[in-house]
Structures are given as C-alpha cells and as structure tokens.
Amino acid sequence: MGAREEDREKAAAADAAAGLVDDGMLVALGSGSTVALVAAALGARGSRARFAAASPATATAATTAGLSLVDAASTGRYDLALDGADQVAADGWAIKGGGGAHTRERILIAAADRFVCVVGSSKLVDRLSWPVPLELQPFALAATLERLPRATLRDAPPTADGGVLADLDADLTDPGALAARLDATPGVIDHGLFAPDVVRELLVAHGDEVELLAR
Ligand code: 5RP
C-alpha cells in the first residue's frame, strides 16, 4: 500500500474515532500521526469534550485544533481512550511505541472505561514482527542493557518523563511470555506489547470504509 493510501485510511479511521466522542466526555488521546488526525477531526466537529494528551505532540495537536485539555496528573478516570498502533495481529496482540509514548499511553488506556484502537488496514498483520519498543530507566542503563542483549538504543531524545528509548529484536512467537519477562526486568519502565484483553475494540479503515471490530 502506498503512503498516500495509508494516509487516507488513517484519516478515515480518525474521523470515525472522532464520531465516538460526545460533548461532556473525558477522553484520553494517545500519540502519533493517527491521533493527531483524531484531534484535527474533533476540532473540525467543534468537540466540547475534554482531553488528556499522552505526549507533548498530542497536546500541541489538540490545542491547535481548539480542544480543551485537562491535566492528566489530576484526572483519575476517562470515558474513552483513543490511540493508534504500529501493528495489530490476528490473535489480538498489538505493538505500540513507534512514537516512544507507550508508557504514558498504557497508563491512560488503563484509566479509561473504553479503549478504541484506531488504525488503517496496513497495521493489521497475521503475526507481530516489529521490534518491541522499550522505555528504559536512564539510571544504570548499562546494567539494564546487559539483561537485554538484543536491545538497540533508539537515536531519539529522552521521553517526556526522561526515559531512554530502545527497540528489542525479539522472538515474538509467544508475546505473552515476552511481555511477562519484560515486565519483570529491572530497569524496563515499559514495553510496547499490548495484550488482546486491552486491545478489545479496533476501528479499522479499509479504503474509505471504516469498521468497528470488537472481540
Ligand atoms: C506511539 C504509538 C503510536 O500509536 C504508533 O506508533 C502508531 O503511530 P502512527 O499513528 O503515527 O502510525 O504507539 O507511541
């Protein structure tokens, strides 16, 4: 699929996602180009909902679109979380964190009554194959990397919370086992593997058609 078609699908899915937001809702927005399109679509609809942003880039997209932001530090629950993904596999596992905001995204998604993952069809895969994004503690980074010999530091600035981004070249035949291992690895703040019980609703664009898949 060409970049133009991918962008068209992202925009179609983003517009459908904006349609899920009612005025009066508290909505968590993730990060990435799809979420920026969601923010723009919400702005175009004149949304009067209130939003938390997972990244400075999303905060900028939201304010540019005229949306009203809340402080995530003092907001406990959200009605809805909207976010993209890098890959979503047929078994429901997803990889996020291409944009390096997966730690904050997971926190916001966990605080939402409903999470809808918004993607174009190019993100759907039979099996996960991306490297797994990691956010690592800068403290004792060398020791953490010893435990993760197949991790490569990303050429990227620190995250908004001071974390170090890396990508793990991992065997993805058992994402659940890998996620558990990474969860238990000292120095790993978070990884980009999101389980099927989290990614329960998918808004997928195929061309101009958008379908909501629920599992
Ligand atoms: C950022 C993410 C994004 O949702 C993911 O990288 C997809 O990005 P895009 O919408 O630009 O394709 O997880 O941490």
Side-chain angles (χ1 to χ4, degrees), residues 6 10 30-36 83-87 95-103 105 118-119 123 130 154 194:
E6 270 185 36
K10 274 186 195 179
S31 194
S33 56
T34 310
V35 167
D83 202 352
D86 300 301
Q87 285 194 337
I95 288 182
K96 294 182 43 53
H102 48 284
T103 303
E105 291 168 342
V118 186
V119 292
K123 303 287 182 71
W130 255 52
R154 210 181 275 185
F194 283 66

Side-chain angles (χ1 to χ4, degrees), residues 2-14 37 205 207-209:
R4 186 178 272 185
E5 180 62 13
E6 270 185 36
D7 287 348
R8 220 175 98 210
E9 286 196 346
K10 274 186 195 179
L37 291 169
D208 292 329
E209 298 290 308

Side-chain angles (χ1 to χ4, degrees), residues 29-31 35-36 39-40 52-67 69:
L29 295 175
S31 194
V35 167
S55 68
T58 297
T60 301
T63 46
T64 303
L67 304 179
L69 284 180

Side-chain angles (χ1 to χ4, degrees), residues 17 20 80-84 109 114-118 198-203 212-213:
L20 300 175
L80 175 67
L82 298 171
D83 202 352
I109 288 167
R114 180 184 182 195
F115 168 45
V116 179
C117 185
V118 186
V198 175
V199 190
R200 284 210 296 256
E201 289 189 79
L202 265 185
L203 206 46
L212 182 63
L213 302 174

